[in-house]
Amino acid sequence: MCTLNGQHNVPNDHETAARDNGKPKTYSALYALQLRAFIDAAEDVDADPDTIEDLLEGLEDRDEEEEVQGSDLDDDLDSENLPFPAHERHSAIEESGDLDDLEVETEVIEQLKREADGAWSKEDIRKMMHHLKERGMSSFVREYVITQNIPIVKLLIAFGISLCPELRNKQPQTMLYFLRVAMSKELRLREKLSQYNTIADAVSLIQASKRMVVLTGAGISVSCGIPDFRSHNGLYAMLKERGTYELDDPQQMFDIHYFRENPAVFYSFASQIYPSNFIPSPCHRFIKAIEDRGKLLRNYTQNIDTLETLTGITRVLQCHGSFATATCIQCKRRIPGNEIEKDIMEHRVPFCTVCMEAKRAAEEIRQAAFRKKAKKRGRKEWEEGSDEEDEAIPVGVMKPDITFFGEKLADDFDHALEDDRDKVDLLIVIGTSLKVSPVSEILSHLPHSVPQILINKTPVRHINPDIVLLGNADDIVQHLCEQLAWELPPPVVKRLEVPSLARSAKRTSGEMMGKPEPTRVAKSHVWLFEGAEGGKWVRDFERRFLEENVEAESRAMQGRVPNEGPEVKKSRTG
C-alpha cells in the first residue's frame, strides 16, 4: 500500500483504514506504532519485498493520491525507540510511558504485561544477550530459533518487545525480520571496555594483538590527493558545488541504475578518482607494518583506489570493489582495469570489444541481406532499406568492478566476516564515518569483548569505541609508530617517479618538533591530535563526562560513609 511518492501508508492512532462487512475497522494504536517502526527499520535492516508485503497484509489500499498524514505517533517513532526497547529488560509494555495514552483495550495491555513479566528471568536474558554480542546474529538464530525451537514472539520479549496480536501471525520470514531488527538494535548498544582509555593502552593493545582487523575508509587516502566522500570539502560537496553533471543527488554518480542509463556522466568524472599516480599514505604503510609483523587478520577497506595492494598488503578485502578489473554490463566479460585506463583518463565511455565485434558481425550480416534484396528488387528499394534505422543491437559498456549504490557486495565479504569474528582480538577503525551499509555494521557483528580503537578526523557518533583518537590519521599512526618503536615501510609509487613532496618513511626532527602533543579530553578515552574536528561534540562530551564523574564520586562517598566504623569517623572529625 503505497502513495505516489513511494512511501508506505500506515494507519495512525485513530485511523479507519479498512472495512469489514460495511463496518469500519479501527486499528489499535499499538499496532500502528509497531507496524510503522518495523517498516522504518527496513532502512537499516534488509527486508525483501515479500516481507514488506506481508507486513502490510490486511490493510486495504486508500486513495492512491493520499499522502501519509503526520500524527502524534511521529514523535514517538524516534529511531532510538524502536519499537519498545526495554533497557532494564522488564516488560516493554510496562516501561513505555507512551502506552498510557494509547487507545488499546486494557485487557490486551494487561495480558501483554503478564506475558512479558513471566517469559524470562534476568539471568536468562543476560545469557542470551551475551551469546548475541559474542557470537553474532547467525549463531543466535541457530541456537535459540532452530536448536531450542523457541517461538520468535517469546524471544522478542527478551529484547523488550511485546509484539501486538495483529503482528503475531505473520509469515516465518517476517517473524525472522522482527527478530533481526531487535538483534540489530541490541548489537549497536555496545558498552565501552572501561580498562582501555589512554594512548599507552592503545600501544599495549597493538603490541599484544596477534589477529587484528583494520577497517579503513576514504580518510586514509585524502593525503594522497584522493578526495573523501562526505566531508564539507569532499567528493559529494564538490559535485554539488560544480553543478555541471545535472545530478539530482551527488550520490547518483555512483548509482547503478543511473550508470546504466547514462554511463557518460560517470566517465566524464572518473579520471579524478582513478588511481593512476597516487602514492600510498602513512596509514597504508602502517597497515603494511602490522601485516609485516604477523599481526593482521584482515584489512577491510571501503576504498576503491587499490592503494592497499600497491603498498603490498596481501590480507586485504576491498569491500566496495576497485578499478583493478572491469566487467561488461551486458556479456559479463571481465578484463584487467588497465585496459580501460586510457578511456577513463580521456573521459570516454569504454565499450566491450567482444560485444563490439558481435555488433559489427551482425551489422555485416544485415548489410549483406539488404544487398541481396537490392539485386532482386531493384536499386531504389535498396537505397530506401539502407536508410532504415539500425536494429537495436546493444553494445556492452565496461564498468569498473566497484560496488555502486544498488549493487550487492560480493559474497566474499559475508564469508570473511563470518570467518574472522571468532578470531579477531583487536579492531582498529581508520578514516571512515561508517555511514554505508553493510560495512558500517562490521563493528556490531564482531564480539563486543574485542577492544576497539577509532582513528578519525571527526567523531563517529553512532559507535562506542574504547579509545578515540581524533585528528589527521597520518599524524596519529606515526605517533603510534614512535611509541611502538616501529619504522614505517618506505612509500611505493605506481608507474611515476616519487615527487619531491613525497613523505619519507621516517619524519624529520623538524617535523617531529613542530607537532603538538595530543591532548586528552577530561581524563576520558578521547584524545585530540592536530587536525581534530570535534567541535560541539567534544564540548558536549567533556561536559557530560565531568558531570557523570561528579555524580559517581558523590555516590561513592555516600556509599562509604555508612560503612565507616566509629573509630574512623572519630579520627576524621576530631
Side-chain angles (χ1 to χ4, degrees):
M1 180 171 61
C2 300
T3 61
L4 292 180
N5 65 359
Q7 303 228 347
H8 294 286
N9 281 339
V10 181
N12 294 323
D13 286 23
H14 317 293
E15 180 177 5
T16 299
R19 296 180 178 275
D20 185 15
N21 295 326
K23 295 182 180 181
K25 176 182 177 181
T26 303
Y27 296 109
S28 74
L30 177 57
Y31 172 49
L33 178 63
Q34 291 193 340
L35 180 59
R36 176 79 62 84
F38 280 122
I39 289 175
D40 288 348
E43 294 181 5
D44 299 316
V45 180
D46 288 338
D48 58 45
D50 290 341
T51 296
I52 296 297
E53 184 177 346
D54 186 40
L55 267 174
L56 299 173
E57 181 70 28
L59 302 178
E60 274 190 13
D61 288 338
R62 287 178 274 174
D63 191 305
E64 285 191 314
E65 296 183 1
E66 182 180 0
E67 297 286 337
V68 176
Q69 299 297 316
S71 73
D72 294 337
L73 288 179
D74 294 335
D75 295 330
D76 298 329
L77 290 175
D78 184 281
S79 60
E80 297 300 319
N81 298 292
L82 169 71
F84 301 129
H87 299 298
E88 297 299 326
R89 301 300 170 197
H90 301 303
S91 164
I93 299 300
E94 188 174 40
E95 294 194 4
S96 175
D98 295 332
L99 285 180
D100 292 336
D101 300 325
L102 297 180
E103 295 186 4
V104 184
E105 293 181 6
T106 304
E107 182 179 338
V108 176
I109 289 287
E110 291 302 319
Q111 181 181 349
L112 293 177
K113 288 174 65 175
R114 289 193 297 271
E115 178 187 48
D117 290 340
W120 303 103
S121 69
K122 290 184 178 180
E123 180 61 19
D124 289 336
I125 294 174
R126 187 195 66 78
K127 289 180 180 179
M128 294 166 71
M129 297 305 117
H130 182 267
H131 184 115
L132 173 65
K133 292 176 180 179
E134 293 304 306
R135 301 178 64 180
M137 287 190 185
S138 298
S139 176
F140 187 93
V141 171
R142 283 196 300 269
E143 174 62 26
Y144 292 100
V145 178
I146 299 175
T147 302
Q148 296 191 32
N149 197 27
I150 299 173
I152 288 179
V153 169
K154 185 177 180 180
L155 288 174
L156 287 172
I157 294 173
F159 291 90
I161 300 174
S162 289
L163 205 61
C164 66
E166 294 93 332
L167 293 177
R168 295 191 172 204
N169 295 316
K170 295 297 182 182
Q171 295 296 321
Q173 76 270 16
T174 306
M175 300 301 295
L176 192 58
Y177 167 71
F178 294 160
L179 182 60
R180 286 193 291 115
V181 169
M183 291 190 295
S184 178
K185 183 167 181 61
E186 181 66 32
L187 286 172
R188 293 177 183 177
L189 300 176
R190 177 184 185 268
E191 294 183 7
K192 180 191 174 309
L193 303 179
S194 60
Q195 64 268 41
Y196 306 119
N197 297 286
T198 67
I199 295 174
D201 291 335
V203 170
S204 297
L205 286 168
I206 294 171
Q207 288 173 329
S209 174
K210 296 181 180 178
R211 298 178 301 278
M212 200 181 310
V213 164
V214 181
L215 172 56
T216 52
I220 74 168
S221 295
V222 169
S223 64
C224 307
I226 303 173
D228 65 5
F229 287 83
R230 290 176 172 78
S231 68
H232 60 85
N233 57 353
L235 184 60
Y236 292 150
M238 183 172 59
L239 287 171
K240 189 173 183 179
E241 182 180 349
R242 288 181 181 178
T244 56
Y245 296 99
E246 298 181 357
L247 301 173
D248 296 329
D249 183 327
Q251 292 186 102
Q252 278 185 309
M253 183 67 77
F254 301 97
D255 182 275
I256 187 59
H257 305 294
Y258 190 81
F259 178 86
R260 291 180 183 275
E261 292 174 3
N262 194 356
V265 173
F266 173 79
Y267 280 110
S268 68
F269 174 81
S271 62
Q272 299 183 47
I273 57 172
Y274 185 75
S276 60
N277 58 354
F278 298 113
I279 301 170
S281 71
C283 286
H284 294 103
R285 290 147 52 202
F286 175 62
I287 301 167
K288 181 68 166 68
I290 293 172
E291 184 176 51
D292 288 345
R293 288 161 176 78
K295 294 175 174 288
L296 184 65
L297 178 59
R298 202 178 316 271
N299 173 201
Y300 290 82
T301 179
Q302 300 171 84
N303 298 338
I304 58 177
D305 51 39
T306 67
L307 289 179
E308 296 83 9
T309 303
L310 179 60
T311 309
I313 302 168
T314 59
R315 299 187 64 82
V316 58
L317 179 64
Q318 292 159 329
C319 303
H320 294 159
S322 74
F323 282 97
T325 57
T327 300
C328 172
I329 63 175
Q330 180 183 327
C331 72
K332 307 305 178 186
R333 172 174 167 260
R334 176 173 288 187
I335 61 173
N338 57 16
E339 290 190 19
I340 65 169
E341 179 176 350
K342 191 171 188 294
D343 290 311
I344 290 175
M345 302 311 291
E346 295 180 2
H347 304 168
R348 289 195 307 265
V349 177
F351 292 98
C352 174
T353 55
V354 172
C355 290
M356 288 285 285
E357 182 60 35
K359 179 179 175 66
R360 279 193 291 268
E363 180 63 19
E364 288 177 3
I365 294 172
R366 191 172 72 88
Q367 292 292 342
F370 273 123
R371 285 193 292 270
K372 189 173 182 180
K373 286 182 180 179
K375 289 181 180 179
K376 292 181 178 179
R377 302 182 182 179
R379 175 75 177 173
K380 184 177 180 181
E381 186 174 342
W382 156 247
E383 289 175 348
E384 291 174 354
S386 63
D387 290 335
E388 290 179 2
E389 185 177 339
D390 288 350
E391 293 180 18
I393 304 173
V395 177
V397 172
M398 299 303 300
K399 172 188 165 295
D401 288 331
I402 58 178
T403 306
F404 279 47
F405 292 113
E407 290 187 299
K408 184 181 180 298
L409 266 62
D411 291 338
D412 291 349
F413 174 78
D414 292 328
H415 296 158
L417 191 58
E418 182 71 22
D419 189 48
D420 291 347
R421 65 163 290 112
D422 295 327
K423 300 175 183 176
V424 58
D425 60 13
L426 176 63
L427 172 67
I428 301 182
V429 180
I430 313 177
T432 173
S433 58
L434 293 173
K435 290 185 177 178
V436 179
S437 296
V439 177
S440 61
E441 299 297 322
I442 287 179
L443 275 70
S444 61
H445 288 293
L446 295 180
H448 286 203
S449 58
V450 174
Q452 298 180 3
I453 300 171
L454 171 67
I455 299 173
N456 203 43
K457 196 173 188 69
T458 59
V460 181
R461 292 169 173 78
H462 59 281
I463 64 173
N464 192 22
D466 305 305
I467 302 172
V468 178
L469 308 178
L470 299 181
N472 297 324
D474 288 344
D475 293 332
I476 295 173
V477 300
Q478 289 187 101
H479 183 88
L480 292 175
C481 284
E482 290 166 11
Q483 302 299 311
L484 289 161
W486 288 5
E487 283 195 17
L488 290 177
V492 182
V493 182
K494 183 178 180 181
R495 290 192 291 279
L496 301 182
E497 293 183 359
V498 180
S500 58
L501 53 78
R503 280 189 177 274
S504 60
K506 205 170 184 179
R507 292 188 291 172
T508 65
S509 58
E511 287 181 305
M512 293 171 64
M513 291 177 62
K515 296 290 182 184
E517 287 295 310
T519 58
R520 189 175 186 180
V521 178
K523 294 185 179 181
S524 71
H525 62 295
V526 178
W527 294 76
L528 305 181
F529 287 73
E530 186 175 15
E533 295 181 358
K536 185 177 183 297
W537 181 88
V538 170
R539 293 191 296 273
D540 290 346
F541 172 82
E542 183 173 17
R543 176 181 52 78
R544 289 195 307 271
F545 183 85
L546 292 172
E547 289 174 353
E548 290 171 2
N549 270 6
V550 169
E551 291 177 6
E553 290 175 4
S554 176
R555 287 194 300 270
M557 289 297 295
Q558 292 173 1
R560 282 199 297 268
V561 170
N563 295 326
E564 290 179 344
E567 296 298 325
V568 176
K569 289 184 179 180
K570 182 178 180 180
S571 63
R572 189 154 55 82
T573 58

